[in-house]
């Protein structure tokens, strides 16, 4: 069962709950998906059962079409946020990590075409492999963070969080207008371009600034 940990693997004293995500937060990713740039953040939620430790082998569905990787900066919330301002958000960030927003792309395309919700494509069990968290005080500016995903020694995704359409602090403040964020909640902040399909046997390396970890798909 998933539990929050720090980057070194030690358990953190936060409950495990929801993951609040934003779609279409990097312009080049919007272009590659053939989507329009939204006027407001597009939000969706993954349940706690989507969370899994990215250090462990990642099990993906093999009977529901392509599963795509989306590497994202992850924020661990450390204090309640409701109708919060940006200063309150900054004070509530407990840690920074990296996650994969795994997406059943064929299903998502069907749901988009039909005007239906995405949850079955985004919230399935194991759909959010995630790293441990680096304390916010030690991380530096999360709005200047480099993200890279390598699959089988080939760089698939690379980007910097300064290129977000909706930056982290106003984004989380916006989320808190609709969903109360509680300690232990996680926020995913969007993915840069380069999303593509994964398959069993793939070897993945995820980098967050100078921090690096490896995993594999089974």
């Amino acid at each position: 069962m998933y539990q929050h940990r720090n980057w070194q693997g030690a358990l953190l004293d936060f409950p495990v709950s929801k993951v609040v995500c934003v779609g279409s937060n990097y312009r080049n990713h919007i272009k590659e998906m053939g989507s329009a740039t939204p006027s407001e953040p597009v939000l969706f939620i993954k349940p706690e059962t989507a969370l899994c430790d990215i250090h462990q082998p990642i099990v993906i569905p093999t009977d529901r079409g392509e599963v795509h990787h989306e590497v994202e900066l992850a924020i661990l919330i450390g204090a309640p946020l409701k109708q919060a301002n940006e200063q309150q958000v900054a004070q509530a960030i407990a840690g920074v990590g990296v996650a994969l927003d795994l997406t059943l792309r064929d299903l998502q395309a069907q749901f988009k075409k039909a005007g239906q919700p995405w949850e079955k494509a985004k919230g399935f069990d194991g759909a959010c492999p995630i790293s441990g968290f680096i304390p916010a005080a030690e991380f530096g500016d999360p709005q200047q963070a480099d993200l890279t995903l390598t699959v089988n020694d080939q760089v698939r995704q690379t980007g910097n969080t300064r290129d977000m359409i909706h930056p982290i602090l106003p984004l989380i403040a916006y989320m808190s207008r609709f969903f109360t964020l509680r300690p232990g909640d996680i926020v995913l902040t969007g993915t840069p371009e380069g999303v593509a399909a994964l398959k069993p046997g793939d070897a993945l390396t995820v980098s967050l600034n100078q921090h690096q970890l490896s995993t594999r798909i089974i």
Side-chain angles (χ1 to χ4, degrees):
M1 183 178 295
Y2 172 83
Q3 293 178 280
H4 296 315
R5 298 178 182 271
N6 67 15
W7 193 268
Q8 289 73 35
L11 290 174
L12 297 177
D13 190 21
F14 288 103
V16 178
S17 187
K18 63 184 178 292
V19 184
V20 184
C21 312
V22 61
S24 303
N25 203 24
Y26 288 78
R27 287 185 176 83
N28 287 340
H29 174 56
I30 294 172
K31 290 179 182 177
E32 74 177 348
M33 297 303 295
S35 303
T37 301
S39 58
E40 294 189 5
V42 177
L43 304 182
F44 60 95
I45 288 179
K46 291 178 183 270
E48 63 180 85
T49 47
L51 287 162
C52 61
D53 187 344
I54 201 171
H55 294 90
Q56 302 299 318
I58 298 170
V59 180
I60 61 171
T62 57
D63 59 350
R64 283 171 271 176
E66 289 190 347
V67 180
H68 282 206
H69 55 73
E70 299 186 8
V71 67
E72 309 201 9
L73 188 84
I75 300 291
L76 178 65
I77 302 298
L81 292 171
K82 182 179 177 66
Q83 305 292 330
N85 58 39
E86 292 182 30
Q87 182 179 0
Q88 292 168 325
V89 171
Q91 293 171 344
I93 294 176
V96 181
V98 63
L100 295 178
D101 170 13
L102 298 184
T103 303
L104 291 165
R105 190 69 74 198
D106 296 334
L107 283 183
Q108 186 192 34
Q110 294 175 24
F111 298 146
K112 283 183 175 181
K113 185 175 181 180
Q116 296 175 352
W118 300 353
E119 271 73 12
K120 287 186 284 186
K122 289 282 195 177
F124 57 91
D125 289 357
C128 191
I130 194 163
S131 72
F133 291 93
I134 302 163
E138 298 176 12
F139 185 79
D141 184 1
Q143 204 62 72
Q144 299 289 332
D146 291 314
L147 293 168
T148 303
L149 173 67
T150 299
V151 180
N152 300 327
D153 297 322
Q154 299 293 318
V155 174
R156 288 269 188 92
Q157 291 186 266
T158 186
N160 188 285
T161 56
R162 64 173 171 264
D163 295 326
M164 289 178 180
I165 296 171
H166 305 287
I168 295 165
L169 297 185
L171 172 63
I172 297 177
Y174 177 87
M175 290 175 171
S176 79
R177 291 168 49 190
F178 300 92
F179 316 108
T180 297
L181 299 174
R182 294 176 173 166
D185 284 349
I186 293 169
V187 170
L188 298 191
T189 55
T191 193
E193 65 183 306
V195 302
L198 293 167
K199 62 183 186 298
D202 283 344
L204 279 58
T205 300
V206 181
S207 300
L208 173 60
N209 288 346
Q210 73 274 25
H211 305 281
Q212 191 175 89
L213 56 87
S214 297
T215 189
R216 62 189 176 90
I217 303 297
I218 61 173

